[in-house]
Amino acid sequence: MTSGSLLRLALAGALASGAVLTAAIPANAGKAPRTVPVRLLALNDFHGNLEPPSGSSGRMVDEQGNTVEAGGAAYIATHMKALRDKNTIAVAQGDLIGATPLISAAYHDEPSVEFMGKLGLKVAAVGNHEFDEGYQELRRIMKGGCHPVDGCSPAGKWKGASYDYVGANVLFKNRNEKTDALAALGGGNSPKIKKLLSDWGVPALPPVSIKIMNGVPIGFIGLVTQTTPNIVTTEGIKDLKFVDEVKAANVASKLLKLVGVKAQVVLVHEGDQVEADQSPDACSAVPGAGNRIATQVDPEIDIVLSGHSHQAYVCKVKDPAGRDRLFSQGGSFGRVITQVDMKVDVRTRDIDRASVVADNHVVTRTVTPDPEISAFVQTWKDRVAPVANRAVGTISADIPNTAAPSGETPLGNLIADAQLAATKEGGNAQIALMNPGGVRAPLSYASSEAGEGDGVVTYGEAFTVQPFNNLMQVVTLNGAQLKTILEQQFTGGPNNQAFTKILQPSSNFTYTYSQSAPWGSKVSDMKIDGQPVTDTQTIRVAANNFLVGGGDAFLGFTEGTDLWSGPLDIDAFVDYLGQNNPIAPPATDRITVVP
Ligand SMILES: [Zn+2]
């Protein structure tokens, strides 16, 4: 059934039974059930972890306070089956795809989206990472078709996601853009909906999805962090704007109300931090962007399921009308499933807030993995093995991605060197800068694949470090602009850097920063190849397209001119590993810190 016909069913049901039930209450009192049960099973930030995630990404503190191994598609499937009852709707809060392991990324995450379909997922909010390959690619993932460059995957023509993606705060910049995002609202043709949307904007994605459970419609509102333009590649989202989550949720809530849907659930890809090692069912979330949304959205919204910060919590917050509202998140990488049970009043069609109970379940690996999903994952593992196991270079010792006091990491420095090497020729790069958050894993001498400790780096291991398929780019900046970018590493400036983020410099670029100096005068003594940098000299600076687009609040990069685009960052890294054999961990002495 299409969501349009579901809606008509819901509306017909709402009108008919509303009238009938009101009249019938005295006679039926105490007989017909006044409420029906609904269960939600929710996941967030899966990030394509079809295989059990390793290291700290695969561990979780459970409800007894023990640290246990958690995650993996076949284990998720077993847990989901055990938790699922006939009243269940499975939902997700974004970042299911993007920043994924090679098994998923090599096929543009089609394997992960197919797995979510097999799990019975019905609705997912988009996360920022759903936009990693751009809006058009997200539409292909939603609707089907083969990749425009890489063609069809070994599984054949992509059929499209079997669940709805929703994102109410994702609008077209151009108000004349045509939208096909309003199927769940009967095409959006009712005069009241038209009026509401003409004041609001043109949705680039379905803002809501309506699912019927036990005769009552449940409305799901999707939201993604409004910071998305700062954390994805600009080119892919240039036609979109990401607006305030609370305002968008309130418009979406009104849209649902206009079609008679009063049981309303927000799926939001934004969340808060928690205290270390807390129980997944504890609250103690540090109030942040997630709490703001959970407390401020319209009182008609009953439940707020969150994501993005990769934390597990179950909180009760107050809505603007002073009533309790659930606010929760289920960790990341498929390590937690959030179960939400509630009762919905069949007359008012609203959720009985007092009945809402939530529980975070850790996806342990002590259960029998689901055989069908195990076979599915093995199929993709076999397909990607020749790609993943190819040796691309050797290292002489572990190369960690943990920061020295200067903020440099050995692996970050190595990647900056690789990026400079890859962009010198075509792009005339003189230095390279790498964003620290893009160094996703360390390189270990004892290979995790075979455990033989021979220092061999495989393509799969290199990809785990650099999984984003960013393009290398080079722009021209002057010395003053370069200094501004380095100032933008620190909090307190007009670029609104949320945390200090030290860019990893290539070995030929050195400078000093002062911890105590005010923002704007922290950086001094910049040198390239030992020569002092003047304010007016021009410098060709290499960085990935995420940074060059102003990512991570490094807005200074957008001042760059004479843009040149080169190879993928993963190719630059792999080439460098191949050409410098074996590689020793670089020193972290490029930046000098003074008090
Ligand atoms: Zn995210």
Side-chain angles (χ1 to χ4, degrees), residues 198-471:
S198 75
D199 294 342
W200 173 240
V202 186
L205 292 170
V208 297
S209 171
I210 300 163
K211 300 295 170 195
I212 311 293
M213 180 52 69
N214 293 328
V216 293
I218 316 287
F220 295 95
I221 298 167
L223 298 171
V224 58
T225 172
Q226 60 176 311
T227 66
T228 297
N230 298 335
I231 49 181
V232 305
T233 300
T234 314
E235 176 62 22
I237 56 158
K238 63 180 191 311
D239 298 331
L240 307 180
K241 55 181 178 179
F242 294 77
V243 301
D244 178 73
E245 302 93 346
V246 173
K247 283 185 188 153
N250 292 351
V251 170
S253 173
K254 284 202 186 77
L255 287 170
L256 286 172
K257 230 171 156 177
L258 282 175
V259 297
V261 179
K262 295 177 76 185
Q264 300 187 356
V265 177
V266 157
L267 306 173
V268 55
H269 190 75
E270 179 62 276
D272 286 351
Q273 299 298 323
V274 299
E275 284 165 24
D277 299 329
Q278 74 168 40
S279 160
D281 292 332
C283 178
S284 91
V286 182
N291 183 277
R292 183 186 79 91
I293 296 162
T295 54
Q296 292 185 7
V297 294
D298 195 293
E300 191 65 69
I301 293 165
D302 301 287
I303 290 171
V304 176
L305 305 181
S306 68
H308 188 53
S309 56
H310 292 200
Q311 309 291 316
Y313 48 82
V314 177
C315 293
K316 229 183 230 179
V317 298
K318 293 287 182 202
D319 74 14
R323 291 201 299 159
D324 284 339
R325 182 152 65 191
L326 171 66
F327 168 49
S328 67
Q329 186 178 166
S332 61
F333 308 135
R335 292 176 294 176
V336 175
I337 297 168
T338 306
Q339 174 187 340
V340 184
D341 286 321
M342 68 192 87
K343 294 202 160 54
V344 183
D345 190 309
V346 294
R347 298 170 308 164
T348 65
R349 295 179 177 270
D350 207 349
I351 293 170
D352 171 7
R353 291 280 183 97
S355 73
V356 176
V357 179
D359 191 1
N360 271 338
H361 297 285
V362 174
V363 176
T364 57
R365 298 185 200 152
T366 49
V367 296
T368 308
D370 183 87
E372 189 211 328
I373 299 299
S374 293
F376 172 79
V377 173
Q378 190 59 48
T379 301
W380 286 103
K381 230 178 134 172
D382 293 343
R383 284 169 175 159
V384 82
V387 185
N389 294 336
R390 183 167 62 89
V392 296
T394 54
I395 53 177
S396 62
D398 287 351
I399 306 186
N401 63 336
T402 43
S406 68
E408 296 166 76
T409 74
L411 190 49
N413 283 357
L414 172 63
I415 289 171
D417 292 343
Q419 296 189 338
L420 178 58
T423 52
K424 257 184 178 164
E425 223 152 88
N428 299 315
Q430 294 166 268
I431 65 167
L433 293 169
M434 170 66 196
N435 55 309
V439 187
R440 302 298 279 191
L443 278 180
S444 61
Y445 184 77
S447 152
S448 57
E449 311 276 312
E452 71 274 44
D454 56 2
V456 170
V457 180
T458 63
Y459 183 85
E461 289 165 338
F463 185 86
T464 305
V465 175
Q466 289 270 269
F468 294 112
N469 279 323
N470 284 322
L471 278 181

